[in-house]
């Protein structure tokens, strides 16, 4: 495993999120250090996806603070303590530090794998096209798809599309990667190829926050497993502790259903 640092990359404090009257996140605090792989587990509807979407500012929060790489994300505080959302321009700039891989791959269907990867580096970071192409080819090779550069998403399997999506996120040279159930939309036979790429990223020292139902991956790759239940963080610890000696009754009940 790569050396873990004490430097905080993601620092979420007391995050509250509601949709109307429905409280989804009830004051979650979580820190992720550089090079750490943190896996979020819990029953469907426990708030895992909402939480990581809040970190990337894809969802507004009603309370709490999020810092990425030491910088406050997306909000500034009024004198009365209420939060005001930053401008979309500033938020877009902050998002560069965080790669996001979604459940559905969200690739541009009219662009080849290569074009999907070079789009943001050229238009957002201002990278020269020749340099972006060289980097994109290297990233495709890194995710095992060097021969698929000119393929459109419709010509690729789900697992291949998800690996292109990972390469596309890496092209922005993020400080951290967020994964929202990256294998749940895949055929069982392609799940392994995506998990293998994620495992390789972890070994290379990428800071990762992963929502997944793949307990084998969590057990093998996570430095820390965090259990969410009904919008609360109820337990966290090393994988061997969470899977072998969970303390919270709700963790025990959840794991007895999935293991």
């Amino acid at each position: 495993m790569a050396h873990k640092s004490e430097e905080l990359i993601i620092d979420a404090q007391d995050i509250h999120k509601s949709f109307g009257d429905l409280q989804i996140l009830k004051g979650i605090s979580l820190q992720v250090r550089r090079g750490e792989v943190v896996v979020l587990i819990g029953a469907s509807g426990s708030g895992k996806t909402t939480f990581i979407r809040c970190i990337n500012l894809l969802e507004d929060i009603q309370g709490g603070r999020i810092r990425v790489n030491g910088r406050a994300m997306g909000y500034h505080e009024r004198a009365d303590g209420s939060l005001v959302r930053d401008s979309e321009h500033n938020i877009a700039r902050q998002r560069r530090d965080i790669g996001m891989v979604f459940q559905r791959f969200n690739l541009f269907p009219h662009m080849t794998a290569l074009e999907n990867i070079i789009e943001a580096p050229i238009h957002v970071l201002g990278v020269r096209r020749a340099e972006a192409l060289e980097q994109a080819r290297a990233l495709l090779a890194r995710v095992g798809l060097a021969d698929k550069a000119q393929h459109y998403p419709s010509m690729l399997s789900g697992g291949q599309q998800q690996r292109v999506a990972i390469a596309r996120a890496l092209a922005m040279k993020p400080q951290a990667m967020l994964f929202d159930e990256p294998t749940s939309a895949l055929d069982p036979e392609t799940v392994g190829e995506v998990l293998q790429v994620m495992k390789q990223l972890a070994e290379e020292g990428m800071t990762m926050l992963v929502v997944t139902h793949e307990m084998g991956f969590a057990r093998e790759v996570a430095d820390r497993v965090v259990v969410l239940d009904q919008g609360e963080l109820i337990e966290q610890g090393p994988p061997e502790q969470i899977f072998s000696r969970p303390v919270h009754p709700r963790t025990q009940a959840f794991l007895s259903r999935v293991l």
Side-chain angles (χ1 to χ4, degrees):
M1 275 288 174
H3 173 68
K4 306 293 174 294
S5 128
E6 287 306 300
E7 181 190 356
L8 283 185
I9 295 296
I10 297 170
D11 183 11
Q13 297 284 350
D14 197 27
I15 302 304
H16 287 77
K17 169 70 186 173
S18 299
F19 292 112
D21 294 334
L22 185 63
Q23 216 182 346
I24 306 292
L25 302 178
K26 304 168 185 172
I28 291 183
S29 296
L30 180 69
Q31 288 74 44
V32 182
R33 288 174 167 74
R34 184 178 294 284
E36 195 178 17
V37 178
V38 176
V39 173
L40 297 179
I41 65 170
S44 292
S46 58
K48 307 181 301 295
T49 287
T50 301
F51 178 65
I52 68 166
R53 286 177 65 85
C54 288
I55 290 174
N56 206 24
L57 305 172
L58 294 171
E59 298 286 356
D60 285 330
I61 57 175
Q62 275 81 47
R65 304 286 176 274
I66 299 166
R67 298 179 82 81
V68 172
N69 220 17
R71 289 197 300 275
M73 284 289 283
Y75 298 88
H76 47 274
E77 200 174 334
R78 284 204 185 102
D80 64 1
S82 63
L83 296 180
V84 186
R85 192 173 164 97
D86 219 335
S87 72
E88 285 308 313
H89 175 74
N90 284 347
I91 286 173
R93 213 169 54 216
Q94 290 182 304
R95 279 203 190 108
R96 295 176 197 173
D97 277 347
I98 312 174
M100 179 102 181
V101 177
F102 299 89
Q103 201 168 343
R104 303 255 161 214
F105 329 117
N106 293 6
L107 296 175
F108 298 116
H110 61 290
M111 292 183 178
T112 63
L114 199 63
E115 288 166 345
N116 263 283
I117 296 169
I118 67 173
E119 177 75 5
I122 289 174
H123 294 290
V124 179
L125 298 182
V127 175
R128 292 196 332 277
R129 185 177 172 84
E131 188 185 331
L133 283 167
E134 185 182 341
Q135 180 189 321
R137 288 196 180 93
L139 286 169
L140 281 172
R142 190 169 163 192
V143 299
L145 294 173
D147 58 337
K148 305 293 187 203
Q150 300 308 323
H151 285 53
Y152 288 90
S154 60
M155 301 157 73
L156 301 172
S157 71
Q160 289 169 335
Q161 289 185 62
Q162 192 60 294
R163 285 187 282 158
V164 172
I166 292 172
R168 181 178 63 177
L170 290 171
M172 296 296 284
K173 299 188 166 64
Q175 297 288 326
M177 292 276 282
L178 308 178
F179 292 86
D180 179 17
E181 298 192 19
T183 58
S184 63
L186 301 181
D187 295 329
E189 64 270 20
T190 66
V191 166
E193 64 195 39
V194 172
L195 293 178
Q196 188 55 43
V197 168
M198 292 170 64
K199 189 175 161 190
Q200 180 189 325
L201 285 179
E203 286 166 356
E204 291 166 4
M206 175 59 76
T207 308
M208 294 163 63
L209 182 57
V210 183
V211 172
T212 187
H213 294 291
E214 301 289 339
M215 298 300 155
F217 173 84
R219 198 187 283 266
E220 186 184 355
V221 180
D223 296 300
R224 186 159 38 112
V225 175
V226 173
V227 187
L228 264 54
D229 185 79
Q230 296 171 15
E232 297 175 333
L233 195 165
I234 58 169
E235 187 165 356
Q236 59 179 313
E240 60 275 13
Q241 178 203 314
I242 297 296
F243 290 115
S244 306
R245 302 182 302 282
V247 175
H248 201 291
R250 285 187 282 176
T251 306
Q252 293 164 2
F254 168 69
L255 291 174
S256 72
R257 292 195 302 272
V258 299
L259 291 181

